[in-house]
Amino acid sequence: MSYEVETTRRGYRLNQNGSVLSEVLAAPGATNSVFDFLAGLTVIFAGQGDAALLGFAGGGMIAPLRKAGAGTRIYGVDLDLAGHELFRRVSQDWCGEVSFEREDAVTWLERREIPFHVVIEDLSVPTEDDVIKPDVSCGPLPELIRAKLRPGGVVVTNMLKPKRMKWDDFMPGFARGHRSACVVHLREFENRIMVAGDFACSVRQLSRRLGKVLRDIGSDQADQFSLRTFR
């Protein structure tokens, strides 16, 4: 296990080099963190469909997803098994349809034949003192994800602040080839979240819908974000 497990009032938190990899809650609910946004966008675009979670860790987005009432089927993949084992011990009774495979995300996605309504890219790798996006996120992964989306599907990317490049050097890969791309800017976190795909709703409409989902699950992040078109 390459991270620390912290006991919280509502479950557990997986920490790595000062970053929170996942929140594992004992019951459906808001995490009041980045995972609420990943869940909210999945609710909006996947609904009762299928979603791939690349970088499962402890399944942090699943508690807010189920609190929102979404029956989305989650297909998770991660190289580390420990986070999923903790998730199962804590969340098995209410987590719904969640499957998991221990494998490299690219290899797993390449052999998938059935496309997804949403692909959530939440991959990260540790350095000596930080957590960064893996090189594959800047390389072949965005194009592979596009090939694995259903018509009208979207990719949701949890973007960590790049160390060796600017935000605008990192984000175009995930936006390329999609009809629309928007970026969620978070007031309380360094992360940014991109959603890209074949969707027609405006930034204002999407912002309203995302804010409503967050309020409905009781997240304190409901008014702590702004959403902008990616250009």
Side-chain angles (χ1 to χ4, degrees):
M1 185 185 298
S2 59
Y3 46 79
E4 298 176 352
V5 179
E6 173 190 356
T7 301
T8 67
R9 183 172 54 86
R10 297 189 296 149
Y12 300 91
R13 181 174 295 128
L14 308 186
N15 299 313
Q16 188 173 60
N17 289 341
S19 297
V20 178
L21 288 188
S22 202
E23 297 274 359
V24 186
L25 303 189
T31 65
N32 300 317
S33 72
V34 174
F35 306 108
D36 292 351
F37 293 97
L38 301 181
L41 292 166
T42 302
V43 169
I44 292 168
F45 289 105
Q48 306 302 311
D50 299 335
L53 177 53
L54 312 183
F56 186 89
M61 60 162 283
I62 297 173
L65 184 76
R66 298 309 184 215
K67 180 66 174 179
T72 314
R73 292 174 293 277
I74 300 294
Y75 298 83
V77 61
D78 204 300
L79 286 171
D80 193 311
L81 184 61
H84 176 259
E85 291 177 338
L86 176 62
F87 167 80
R88 284 295 178 189
R89 289 200 301 271
V90 174
S91 311
Q92 178 66 46
D93 291 343
W94 53 262
C95 68
E97 292 190 60
V98 178
S99 64
F100 174 85
E101 294 188 58
R102 184 181 188 181
E103 192 172 0
D104 172 77
V106 171
T107 303
W108 179 82
L109 201 56
E110 284 175 335
R111 65 180 179 81
R112 288 287 306 185
E113 296 182 358
I114 300 175
F116 297 98
H117 294 88
V118 171
V119 173
I120 303 107
E121 196 274 341
D122 194 17
L123 298 174
S124 64
V125 294
T127 64
E128 289 185 359
D129 59 355
D130 203 356
V131 176
I132 63 173
K133 298 298 288 185
D135 290 341
V136 69
S137 294
C138 305
L141 190 57
E143 183 176 352
L144 176 59
I145 290 175
R146 284 196 296 274
K148 298 297 181 176
L149 290 175
R150 293 177 181 269
V154 305
V155 54
V156 177
T157 308
N158 183 10
M159 297 182 292
L160 307 177
K161 189 175 183 180
K163 292 295 184 183
R164 299 181 298 274
M165 60 182 72
K166 299 177 181 178
W167 281 112
D168 288 345
D169 295 329
F170 175 74
M171 293 191 288
F174 283 97
R176 191 174 300 117
H178 293 290
R179 174 183 177 184
S180 302
C182 301
V183 179
V184 184
H185 294 256
L186 312 179
R187 296 198 180 107
E188 297 184 3
F189 305 95
E190 281 191 342
N191 310 53
R192 295 182 184 181
I193 299 170
M194 174 175 281
V195 53
D198 184 15
F199 56 91
C201 62
S202 68
V203 166
R204 181 175 294 180
Q205 290 170 327
L206 182 55
S207 182
R208 282 203 206 106
R209 293 176 69 183
L210 180 56
K212 183 179 186 306
V213 174
L214 295 175
R215 284 190 294 275
D216 287 348
I217 67 173
S219 175
D220 66 9
Q221 295 299 303
D223 299 312
Q224 300 300 314
F225 74 96
S226 61
L227 207 154
R228 305 171 193 170
T229 300
F230 179 76
R231 303 182 187 281

